[in-house]
């Protein structure tokens, strides 16, 4: 395997700064489109052709097709690169966490770790391979989507369709803080329990009412008890809302649950238990929601991909660990349709989803070189 020379750190850092200074919260179509224009131009620069899949009130999911240096086969399944350019950060976050590089080599700013560094890394790997001019094993399709941070509702079908047609998927979400890749991710379910009671004046008609708050509180111990530490299942009662005023018997109460699971049948167990919950009459319970992202399984093919990445890293002079993530990503979708998936190939840093988000600048060229090595020689057949 020939590893092309590593790209210039300074160039990559400047490019990351440019992406970070384009704030791009999910749902802000004007800002997302402005960043999409920048990204398309950058990827066209490395020889990719762009298709924009535009969705009302969401923005555009970018499909970037890269045929590889001359001589790269065109009649084989491509490698799918998966990323997103929306962030969880509202406009103005840049004032609290401005773009800057400190003396410890950390690049700060909203979206540095999740996942604008990943976008820079992926593009520079392709640039590196183009510069080397040596054919690679497979062409590449990159999907850069605009709604990952709200569950990829409008991009899911696109991601799954491309995953089915691809040899394997590489996801450029952040690595763990120590740089480990993610070979397994928990699945996520979102459920809401709504109790309908009956409102009444708390002073004059108290006994005519039916208190939804009390009825909901009654079932919560059972809900919390659905967690199973040994099997890695958690049921978090994250939000409670109920009633309107102290002097009114509460007519309605809601509990919003976040359920995480590693084993697929655990989501079925929790779903079945939730639908069997009962509240005392005349209160009525309504259960809504379901699985948002299936679990990303650590399959033998995924382990094989990881081992290959690890061998490439060793040649480049560093070690690469693997880890299980509690958070979900679009890698959960690619894995669930049976495509070998390796996640966490983005920048190494910490603080994602907070105002203290950063990546180490040294991880940018290192990870780009890793991807270039992985794409240059790996056939995965
Ligand atoms: Zn992300």
């Amino acid at each position: 395997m020939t590893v092309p020379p590593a790209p210039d750190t300074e160039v990559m850092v400047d490019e990351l700064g440019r992406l970070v200074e384009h704030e791009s919260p999910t749902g802000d179509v004007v800002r997302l489109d402005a960043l999409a224009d920048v990204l398309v131009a950058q990827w066209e620069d490395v020889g990719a052709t762009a298709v924009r899949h535009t969705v009302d009130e969401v923005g555009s999911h970018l499909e970037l097709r890269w045929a590889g240096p001359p001589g790269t086969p065109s009649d084989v399944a491509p490698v799918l690169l998966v990323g997103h350019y929306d962030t969880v950060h509202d406009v103005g976050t840049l004032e609290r966490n401005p773009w800057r590089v400190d003396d410890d080599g950390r690049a700060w700013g909203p979206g540095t770790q999740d996942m604008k560094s990943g976008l820079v890394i992926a593009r520079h790997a392709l640039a590196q391979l183009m510069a080397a001019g040596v054919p690679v094993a497979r062409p590449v399709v990159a999907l850069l989507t605009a709604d990952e941070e709200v569950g990829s509702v409008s991009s899911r079908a696109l991601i799954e369709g491309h995953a089915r047609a691809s040899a394997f998927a590489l996801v450029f979400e952040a690595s763990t803080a120590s740089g480990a890749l993610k070979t397994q991710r928990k699945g996520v379910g979102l459920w809401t329990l709504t109790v309908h009671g009956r409102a009444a004046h708390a002073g004059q008609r108290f006994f005519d009412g039916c208190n939804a708050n009390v009825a909901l509180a009654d079932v919560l111990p059972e809900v919390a008890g659905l967690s199973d530490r040994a099997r890695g299942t958690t049921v978090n009662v994250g939000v409670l809302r109920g009633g309107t005023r102290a002097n009114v018997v509460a007519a309605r109460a809601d509990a919003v649950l976040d359920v995480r699971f590693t084993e697929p049948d655990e989501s079925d167990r929790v779903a079945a238990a939730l639908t069997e919950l009962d509240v005392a009459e005349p209160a009525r319970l309504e259960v809504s929601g379901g699985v948002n992202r299936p679990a990303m399984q650590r399959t033998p093919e995924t382990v094989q991909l990881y081992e290959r990445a690890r061998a490439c890293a060793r040649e480049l002079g560093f070690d690469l660990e693997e880890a299980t993530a509690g958070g979900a990503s679009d890698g959960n979708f690619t894995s669930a349709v049976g495509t070998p998936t390796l996640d966490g190939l983005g920048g190494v840093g910490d603080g994602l989803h907070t105002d203290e988000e950063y990546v180490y600048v040294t991880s940018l060229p290192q990870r780009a070189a890793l991807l270039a090595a992985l794409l240059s020689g790996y056939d995965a057949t």
Side-chain angles (χ1 to χ4, degrees):
M1 183 185 70
T2 348
V3 179
D8 192 314
T9 308
E10 214 172 297
V11 173
M12 293 186 76
V13 170
D14 284 350
E15 186 169 316
L16 176 58
R18 188 163 174 222
L19 300 188
V20 169
E21 289 190 325
H22 272 274
E23 288 183 288
S24 54
T26 323
D28 189 331
V29 178
V30 172
R31 284 190 170 78
L32 286 164
D33 280 350
L35 180 54
D37 290 343
V38 173
L39 289 167
V40 166
Q42 288 177 342
W43 284 70
E44 282 175 347
D45 236 29
V46 295
T49 52
V51 179
R52 287 176 184 239
H53 300 269
T54 302
V55 182
D56 279 353
E57 286 166 42
V58 172
S60 293
H61 307 309
L62 308 179
E63 175 187 335
L64 302 151
R65 296 186 158 271
W66 184 77
T72 299
S74 58
D75 56 348
V76 293
V79 178
L80 182 63
L81 306 185
V82 184
H84 64 88
Y85 64 98
D86 60 321
T87 77
V88 297
H89 302 288
D90 291 334
V91 170
T93 306
L94 207 45
E95 283 162 36
R96 296 193 298 276
N97 184 17
W99 165 252
R100 67 208 185 275
V101 179
D102 70 15
D103 293 341
D104 296 322
R106 291 176 295 186
W108 296 80
T112 43
Q113 197 195 10
D114 187 8
M115 59 162 284
K116 290 177 175 176
S117 57
L119 305 181
V120 174
I121 287 165
R123 193 184 89 82
H124 276 267
L126 301 189
Q128 218 178 317
L129 292 166
M130 286 309 267
V134 179
V136 295
R138 295 176 180 280
V140 164
V141 174
L143 287 179
L144 311 186
T145 60
D147 68 347
E148 195 274 345
E149 295 293 1
V150 291
S152 306
V153 176
S154 75
S155 56
R156 179 176 181 167
L158 185 70
I159 294 163
E160 289 173 337
H162 278 286
R164 284 192 188 94
S166 299
F168 56 96
L170 303 174
V171 185
F172 286 83
E173 292 285 358
S175 69
T176 69
S178 66
L181 298 186
K182 294 166 179 176
T183 51
Q184 191 174 30
R185 281 184 182 271
K186 285 189 171 183
V188 184
L190 297 172
W191 272 275
T192 301
L193 308 179
T194 302
V195 175
H196 302 278
R198 187 188 302 135
H201 188 296
Q204 292 173 24
R205 306 284 298 271
F206 179 79
F207 289 104
D208 292 339
C210 166
N211 195 309
N213 286 343
V214 175
L216 177 60
D218 266 350
V219 298
L220 290 183
E222 199 180 328
V223 172
L226 294 171
S227 294
D228 185 332
R229 187 188 286 257
R231 305 188 74 180
T233 306
T234 56
V235 180
N236 183 49
V237 182
V239 180
L240 286 177
R241 284 185 295 258
T244 51
R245 290 191 164 73
N247 61 2
V248 178
V249 175
R252 178 185 171 135
D254 301 276
V256 185
L257 316 178
D258 173 295
V259 179
R260 310 257 163 168
F261 52 91
T262 305
E263 302 168 25
D265 47 353
E266 276 292 276
S267 64
D268 298 338
R269 177 184 67 85
V270 172
L274 291 177
T275 44
E276 276 163 24
L277 288 172
D278 234 345
V279 292
E281 288 199 2
R284 189 167 57 77
L285 175 67
E286 190 187 314
V287 180
S288 58
V291 171
N292 171 253
R293 284 192 173 96
M296 181 178 124
Q297 306 281 330
R298 187 178 180 279
T299 62
E301 292 77 18
T302 290
V303 173
Q304 195 189 336
L305 256 180
Y306 160 68
E307 290 297 346
R308 179 65 201 178
R310 194 176 192 194
C312 291
R314 285 213 183 100
E315 280 198 45
L316 293 163
F318 63 100
D319 195 23
L320 209 48
E321 313 256 273
E322 65 171 319
T324 297
S329 83
D330 287 334
N332 291 58
F333 293 139
T334 60
S335 161
V337 299
T339 307
T341 299
L342 194 57
D343 200 341
L345 286 150
V348 183
D350 211 349
L352 78 172
H353 292 204
T354 75
D355 286 351
E356 283 92 46
E357 186 175 354
Y358 67 85
V359 286
Y360 289 101
V361 297
T362 51
S363 71
L364 301 178
Q366 188 183 59
R367 297 260 160 166
L370 172 67
L371 176 62
L374 199 49
L375 291 176
S376 66
Y378 191 38
D379 198 26
T381 47

